[in-house]
Amino acid sequence: MKKFLISVMALVFGVTTMAQSDYSVNVVYSDDTATVSVGDSASQYLTVTQQGAHVSIVQGSDLASEITYNLSGTSTDGGFYMAGSYKATVELDGLTLTNVSAVYSGAAVHIQNSKRINVKVVTGTENTLVDAASGSQKGCLYVKGHAEFKQYGTLNVVGNVKHAIKAGEYITLKNATLNVTSAAGDGISCNQYFMMESGTINISGTEDDGIQCDIDGDDHEDENSGNIYISGGTITINCAGIAAKGIKSAGDIFINDEAVIDVTTTGKGMWDTVDLETKAACCISADRNITIDDGTLTLTATGSGGKGMKCDSILTISGGDITISTSSGLYYNNGSTENTNYTGNTDHISSSYYSSPKGIKAGLKTEVGTNSYTYSGAIVIHGGKIKVTTTGTNGEGIESKNTLDIYGGEIYVNSYDDGINSAQNMLISGGYVYAHSNNNDGIDANGNIYINGGLVYAIGARSPELGIDANSEEGKKVYINGGVVIAVGGIENSRDINQPYIQSSSISSNSWYTVTYGDNAVAFKTPTISTGGGPGGGPGGPGGPGGNSSATFISAPTTPSLATGNNITGGTSFFEGNCYVDDNGNMVIEEVEYREHINDPRVFTIDGRYLGTEVPTTFNGIYIQNGKKHIKIQ
């Protein structure tokens, strides 16, 4: 009887049953019509209606097996709508579909199932979806449940009303190529988590975020996490929207393995009328944590107040190759007056009124009373290669609103404002660290600075800015217990140096010098050095004045000596060619290897020796002293 119903529908609407026992539906679009073929086994569970090239299929609640919907052909005014309560597979098999009339939905493809939907972009095919210019659709391709994109085909999507691709729950991607050429909202949006294992994503022309993952409510547990996981594939995003984010999560962001990510934002900041504060564009932004274990990231922000990467909690970098550039000015807006290149003093302006163009920012500093604050989050760097360049007013290179710890990696910062800054204590126990500020301190902390190892080359701007500056006004100090430290512009006078050091006031601009100590040597090149007053004649960053910026401070595990010229032959180049390290000595800077595992989250090793999965809270890092490596546990 149900087969007869389908036969009647076939007479009226052009639907046919296939003489085979399967659970499949083929929809072939051709201009202003479509041919729908329903497998014999599936026919008894489906209600099919059709107006021209607009097809609606509703599954019965007693469906016995998953159905595969194969969509192909071309229509300049058509759509596919499917609803039900069972998992399904949708194959995009050489489909070009533009929705104009919005008969069943304004989406080009609308899947109303709140279950797992396999979206197979059939290998070797190119598919294009464009939604109606009017309607209430949430996306050109909308899946109410889970959308799992697979196979090696290409899908091009245009979202005229809101998002290009939208899922009510999670989205996963493996192998397929997704191209979003324009969207009135986000390029890709989902509400539980986003996971990319491989494939390619190209997003441009969005008025909001490139990839956005939200959650319903504040529950970050299990699947409803708001997290973004990128473990492979290639992502290229160009966002021009006001205060738009290239990749935005309401939870955590995890990046590792062979992921290649290139994000550019060009939109200016804006005044948020709900939160009553400015918001700015950002290439990668998380409401919670960001963890980067590997991958290649190129992040460029050119809009007013734009940032390379930010999170409200902890940023952890253990590997990868990261290049960040911001070139915009400071964004100012008090709700009535806007300035996209504000150059005035911000010391007495509410932080709600401006957004600075920072390279990396993590954590939160929250005012809880008059001159009283709470601090949360942190920046922790264990490895990787990080290059940050900022040129706009207030453009700090790397900023933590709480603590900042560096255990390894190569870090190169060339910034307008502070090169590396922390609102609380800073610890450097390994790695290669270069921080050059053109208008402020090279390295600046509002708390204490502890340097226990590594190679640190910090360059401050003209006096009174310093190479390394701590907040002496509140009794904070610079502590040097190990490593090689070169500070052009000097360091904080409030200091505790536990190894040999020298100071020189005869350093010249754009010149090479070599520091030797024991069997080791480090050559460094100075930038253009100015001896004039600081910008506006005022003090430096949060650390304030308190050092001699006409001096160069050098400290090493054994007594250092300074000579002119680069006297190293065959050394290793660091910091964009501004430093060379002698390979023939015993100098080893990058001491700590940090790994994260699901069942073994903290593993520390030195020289290949296993130190255990739990490091004592008194662990103060690894440093070099008297030419030997030490782990410091008090």
Side-chain angles (χ1 to χ4, degrees):
M1 192 66 178
K2 290 183 180 178
K3 290 176 63 176
F4 175 75
L5 174 62
I6 295 294
S7 298
V8 171
M9 294 176 66
L11 178 66
V12 177
F13 298 112
V15 180
T16 61
T17 58
M18 293 179 287
Q20 59 187 61
S21 179
D22 62 12
Y23 287 88
S24 63
V25 175
N26 292 337
V27 181
V28 180
Y29 292 88
S30 180
D31 297 327
D32 59 354
T33 188
T35 300
V36 182
S37 302
V38 181
D40 184 59
S41 298
S43 62
Q44 59 183 312
Y45 302 107
L46 304 180
T47 300
V48 182
T49 56
Q50 183 178 343
Q51 291 187 32
H54 294 268
V55 176
S56 170
I57 299 178
V58 178
Q59 299 175 347
S61 60
D62 57 345
L63 182 62
S65 183
E66 179 175 343
I67 292 178
T68 296
Y69 300 86
N70 182 277
L71 312 180
S72 63
T74 301
S75 175
T76 55
D77 184 14
F80 179 77
Y81 176 92
M82 189 270 286
S85 56
Y86 202 86
K87 295 181 290 185
T89 294
V90 176
E91 297 177 340
L92 305 179
D93 192 5
L95 175 69
T96 300
L97 191 59
T98 300
N99 195 334
V100 175
S101 302
V103 175
Y104 302 113
S105 168
V109 174
H110 184 140
I111 310 299
Q112 191 61 23
N113 289 38
S114 58
K115 299 293 183 180
R116 187 271 295 145
I117 306 297
N118 278 328
V119 182
K120 292 185 178 180
V121 187
V122 176
T123 299
T125 68
E126 183 165 358
N127 305 268
T128 301
L129 303 178
V130 181
D131 62 353
S134 60
S136 59
Q137 66 268 22
K138 296 179 180 179
C140 176
L141 191 162
Y142 174 73
V143 176
K144 185 177 181 181
H146 325 320
E148 299 182 359
F149 291 88
K150 300 177 179 179
Q151 295 199 0
Y152 288 91
T154 298
L155 173 61
N156 310 307
V157 187
V158 173
N160 285 312
V161 171
K162 201 168 184 182
H163 311 307
I165 298 172
K166 171 67 178 179
E169 295 173 353
Y170 67 72
I171 289 178
T172 65
L173 172 62
K174 182 178 181 180
N175 300 326
T177 296
L178 306 181
N179 298 322
V180 174
T181 55
S182 67
D186 303 330
I188 298 174
S189 176
C190 57
N191 284 347
Q192 284 187 341
Y193 65 84
F194 174 88
M195 181 181 293
M196 180 174 178
E197 179 180 337
S198 58
T200 302
I201 293 176
N202 297 303
I203 297 176
S204 61
T206 61
E207 295 183 23
D208 208 337
D209 304 332
I211 299 174
Q212 191 262 4
C213 183
D214 206 349
I215 59 172
D216 296 323
D218 296 325
D219 178 17
H220 288 273
E221 299 299 324
D222 301 325
E223 288 190 349
N224 193 34
S225 64
N227 293 348
I228 291 177
Y229 306 88
I230 303 172
S231 60
T234 301
I235 297 176
T236 303
I237 299 175
N238 288 280
C239 277
I242 294 176
K245 312 300 187 288
I247 300 175
K248 172 70 171 69
S249 77
D252 301 330
I253 295 177
F254 300 89
I255 300 171
N256 55 50
D257 292 342
E258 301 298 323
V260 177
I261 301 172
D262 189 333
V263 180
T264 299
T265 61
T266 59
K268 67 175 183 177
M270 62 172 286
W271 176 254
D272 190 317
T273 58
V274 176
D275 294 335
L276 299 179
E277 62 181 9
T278 58
K279 299 291 178 66
C282 184
C283 297
I284 297 180
S285 176
D287 289 349
R288 298 184 72 195
N289 306 301
I290 295 177
T291 301
I292 301 173
D293 289 330
D294 202 351
T296 301
L297 283 70
T298 304
L299 311 178
T300 306
T302 65
S304 178
K307 296 174 178 59
M309 180 161 49
K310 70 177 287 289
C311 67
D312 290 345
S313 191
I314 300 174
L315 168 65
T316 304
I317 300 175
S318 300
D321 193 332
I322 303 168
T323 302
I324 298 175
S325 173
T326 70
S327 58
S328 62
L330 184 145
Y331 179 78
Y332 173 87
N333 197 324
N334 62 5
S336 59
T337 301
E338 180 184 62
N339 187 334
T340 58
N341 190 24
Y342 185 82
T343 58
N345 193 313
T346 59
D347 289 347
H348 305 292
I349 297 176
S350 169
S351 60
S352 297
Y353 292 166
Y354 65 91
S355 292
S356 300
K358 301 178 187 296
I360 295 175
K361 177 185 176 183
L364 293 174
K365 177 183 176 182
T366 306
E367 187 170 3
V368 294
T370 304
N371 296 322
S372 180
Y373 302 91
T374 60
Y375 302 88
S376 61
I379 293 178
V380 184
I381 299 173
H382 296 281
K385 187 172 183 179
I386 303 166
K387 178 182 178 181
V388 179
T389 305
T390 69
T391 58
T393 302
N394 275 35
E396 291 182 316
I398 299 176
E399 181 193 34
S400 171
K401 289 298 185 181
N402 194 14
T403 59
L404 192 155
D405 297 340
I406 299 172
Y407 298 101
E410 181 181 354
I411 301 165
Y412 174 89
V413 178
N414 195 336
S415 63
Y416 179 98
D417 210 314
D418 291 334
I420 301 176
N421 174 276
S422 64
Q424 295 286 277
N425 291 344
M426 184 185 303
L427 169 67
I428 301 175
S429 287
Y432 302 81
V433 180
Y434 176 97
H436 178 199
S437 172
N438 292 283
N439 293 276
N440 220 316
D441 301 315
I443 295 176
D444 183 22
N446 226 18
N448 295 313
I449 297 176
Y450 301 91
I451 301 177
N452 297 332
L455 170 62
V456 178
Y457 183 15
I459 305 164
R462 55 199 180 274
S463 178
E465 319 305 344
L466 301 173
I468 302 175
D469 187 16
N471 190 0
S472 60
E473 294 177 336
E474 295 185 6
K476 307 302 182 181
K477 293 183 179 182
V478 175
Y479 295 87
I480 298 179
N481 302 309
V484 178
V485 180
I486 303 168
V488 175
I491 74 168
E492 174 64 56
N493 279 333
S494 178
R495 61 206 190 194
D496 189 342
I497 314 299
N498 296 312
Q499 66 176 18
Y501 68 92
I502 60 174
Q503 295 187 95
S504 173
S505 59
S506 60
I507 296 292
S508 300
S509 297
N510 299 312
S511 300
W512 278 98
Y513 294 88
T514 298
V515 177
T516 58
Y517 62 101
D519 295 328
N520 301 301
V522 176
F524 64 96
K525 184 180 181 181
T526 60
T528 299
I529 300 172
S530 172
T531 58
N548 179 4
S549 67
S550 65
T552 293
F553 173 94
I554 298 170
S555 179
T558 59
T559 302
S561 62
L562 183 66
T564 59
N566 182 351
N567 302 313
I568 293 179
T569 301
T572 302
S573 173
F574 291 93
F575 311 143
E576 304 293 301
N578 288 297
C579 188
Y580 281 83
V581 173
D582 184 6
D583 288 332
N584 298 318
N586 300 314
M587 180 180 182
V588 180
I589 298 295
E590 195 166 358
E591 304 288 350
V592 178
E593 181 182 357
Y594 175 81
R595 295 263 197 267
E596 283 193 337
H597 301 283
I598 294 175
N599 298 319
D600 192 7
R602 302 180 105 195
V603 176
F604 283 75
T605 65
I606 178 171
D607 288 336
R609 290 186 293 110
Y610 182 71
L611 298 181
T613 60
E614 291 296 330
V615 174
T617 57
T618 54
F619 172 75
N620 288 327
I622 296 170
Y623 61 98
I624 299 171
Q625 193 169 40
N626 298 324
K628 297 182 179 180
K629 290 168 283 189
H630 300 264
I631 180 169
K632 186 175 182 182
I633 301 177
Q634 294 180 336

